[in-house]
Amino acid sequence: MRKLFDETSIKGMLLNNRLVRSATWEGMCAPDGRPTQKLAAYYGTLARGGVGLIISGYAYVRPDGKQLPGQLGVHDDAFAEELAALAGAVHRESGRICLQLVHAGGQTMAKVAGRQPVAPSAVAVDQYPEMPAELSTDDIAALVTCFADGARRAKGAGCDAVQLHAAHGYLINQFLSPLTNRREDAYGGSIENRCRFLMQVYRAIRCVVGKDFPVLVKLNGSDNLPGGLDLDDALVAARLLDEEGVDAIEVTGGTPASGNQTPVRQGIDKREQEAYNLPLAYRMKNAVSCPIMVVGGLRSFEVAEGIIRREEADYVSFARPFIREPHLALRWREGNEVHARCISCNGCFKPGLKEGGIYCVVDKIERESRGVSL
């Protein structure tokens, strides 16, 4: 019987358990995207806490793909030493790190990107802060190269894997979605055409990193948005990736415009509210042969272990619970299977904007009330 703390491997990347720290923005990098010692220490703490795989915060592959202050960048060879420090901090604690690659596309603003945002089509939709410019075919080709260069830098820095962010309304997802992709050329129309950019990026990365280096993809099972990517089309994308040899797919859902079905939902305080993307992940697992990770609202050991035991997914991913409890995996492994302390308030992101790094504000308040320093 499969269990949460099984040792596994993904294309030779040995993992101590089936727990994954899913990517989240940390807000701990320099203005130009250069990683800091603060971020390296943060990843070291996560690795020491026993999580099987750490997926980094989303790292932009070109400056105009940046979305938030303090966001990680992987667009410059000059960051090699600092990127290596991130990997080293994780490896010293016997952990594994996967660098996530992203371009925000239309989901950023000119004041952050340094230019008018770019997207598959120049359309006004709720998830875009302002009107983007439509990408030319030449710029699409240039972006493919930028993703490949980011993967090259990640591998060269000693990271154990890379993950393409093809979800949550960012650029690759914008190509997949008929709501944001209104193109009439080879990149628009049918789902196969809308997958073209994703597949070109994947193939370019595979050419750079080789067949033995793990390449993962984070994919929306649904945009949870009228007119957006739906499950049937997402399954087509998953099968295309599987046929090309992708090493794992992390299944998620939603965009910032998805109402109460966004990627980061609040108020998860009942078990029936947990694992809200599991129906999408289970459908995808039955459609592909590669390992499936599921993220979204997981909070309790029993739910996570049940998913693994019933083979509904191969790995379970968390983000916010590890912000409050970086040693959650170790706690569960040692037999303390109490529900994660995260209350899904999303307050952890505010310090990233105002104080140069995310942390659990509820935990800080509780500690200060007891006279305990962070």
Side-chain angles (χ1 to χ4, degrees):
M1 181 187 300
R2 300 194 323 170
K3 295 184 178 181
L4 197 57
F5 287 97
D6 291 340
E7 292 185 355
T8 66
S9 68
I10 297 176
K11 187 162 281 180
M13 177 174 62
L14 300 177
L15 305 177
N16 291 328
N17 53 61
R18 298 180 185 272
L19 287 162
V20 177
R21 185 271 197 175
S22 193
T24 191
W25 164 77
E26 298 99 357
M28 296 180 186
C29 291
D32 62 355
R34 188 182 296 267
T36 62
Q37 283 298 314
K38 183 176 183 178
L39 184 60
Y42 187 75
Y43 288 166
T45 299
L46 285 168
R48 192 159 56 250
V51 63
L53 177 64
I54 296 168
I55 301 178
S56 77
Y58 62 164
Y60 56 92
V61 299
R62 201 169 76 173
D64 63 349
K66 180 180 179 179
Q67 184 188 39
L68 289 173
Q71 185 178 346
L72 179 61
V74 68
H75 58 289
D76 196 327
D77 287 340
F79 296 176
E81 183 177 345
E82 290 84 357
L83 287 170
L86 298 184
V90 172
H91 293 158
R92 280 193 296 275
E93 302 294 344
S94 302
R96 297 289 181 269
I97 182 168
C98 171
L99 196 80
Q100 188 184 78
L101 308 172
V102 76
H103 189 289
Q107 227 162 245
T108 186
M109 297 179 288
K111 67 179 182 180
V112 178
R115 56 162 290 179
Q116 182 183 10
V118 294
S121 303
V123 294
V125 293
D126 289 344
Q127 70 192 65
Y128 292 166
E130 56 196 52
M131 177 67 77
E134 181 170 308
L135 286 162
S136 69
T137 53
D138 286 345
D139 207 15
I140 290 173
L143 278 165
V144 170
T145 300
C146 288
F147 274 97
D149 285 343
R152 169 181 57 79
R153 294 182 185 109
K155 183 180 180 182
C159 294
D160 302 288
V162 293
Q163 184 188 63
L164 293 183
H165 199 335
H168 298 176
Y170 297 116
L171 182 63
I172 298 177
N173 183 228
Q174 290 160 28
F175 272 93
L176 295 173
S177 167
L179 182 67
T180 47
N181 184 348
R182 315 284 180 84
R183 300 179 72 95
E184 296 180 354
D185 60 6
Y187 291 93
S190 69
I191 180 56
E192 289 79 11
N193 279 1
R194 285 182 276 124
C195 286
R196 191 177 304 276
F197 180 62
L198 167 63
M199 300 311 299
Q200 287 180 339
V201 170
Y202 174 81
R203 290 167 186 147
I205 287 175
R206 182 59 76 194
C207 285
V208 167
V209 301
K211 62 182 180 61
D212 297 324
F213 188 77
V215 180
L216 289 59
V217 172
K218 187 168 191 171
L219 183 67
N220 267 7
S222 171
D223 286 350
N224 302 328
L225 198 61
L229 180 73
D230 62 20
L231 178 58
D232 288 341
D233 282 358
L235 291 175
V236 173
R239 290 187 188 105
L240 289 171
L241 288 165
D242 193 43
E243 290 167 4
E244 290 280 339
V246 73
D247 296 303
I249 297 174
E250 186 181 24
V251 182
T252 183
T255 77
S258 299
N260 62 3
Q261 292 184 301
T262 67
V264 188
R265 303 182 194 179
Q266 294 180 262
I268 302 165
D269 54 12
K270 299 180 179 66
R271 288 187 183 177
E272 55 266 29
Q273 296 173 307
E274 294 187 43
Y276 44 75
N277 291 314
L278 184 59
L280 302 173
Y282 187 60
R283 284 286 304 277
M284 207 165 285
K285 181 167 174 57
N286 286 313
V288 299
S289 60
C290 68
I292 291 293
M293 301 171 174
V294 61
V295 66
L298 287 156
R299 297 292 179 271
S300 58
F301 176 86
E302 294 84 354
V303 171
E305 177 94 327
I307 289 169
I308 299 303
R309 186 179 64 250
R310 293 187 298 270
E311 300 189 20
E312 295 168 328
D314 302 287
Y315 296 87
V316 288
S317 298
F318 304 69
R320 289 173 290 171
F322 286 126
I323 297 173
R324 182 160 190 179
E325 293 183 90
H327 293 83
L328 177 62
L330 187 60
R331 172 163 75 76
W332 280 356
R333 185 174 196 124
E334 291 175 345
N336 182 349
E337 298 171 1
V338 172
H339 187 283
R341 295 174 64 220
C342 175
I343 63 170
S344 310
C345 67
N346 289 351
C348 47
F349 299 116
K350 293 177 183 177
L353 293 169
K354 297 180 179 180
E355 301 177 35
I358 57 171
Y359 61 79
C360 179
V361 296
V362 175
D363 188 60
K364 181 181 181 182
I365 292 169
E366 290 182 356
R367 285 173 178 265
E368 288 177 347
S369 70
R370 301 195 307 268
V372 179
S373 60
L374 286 173

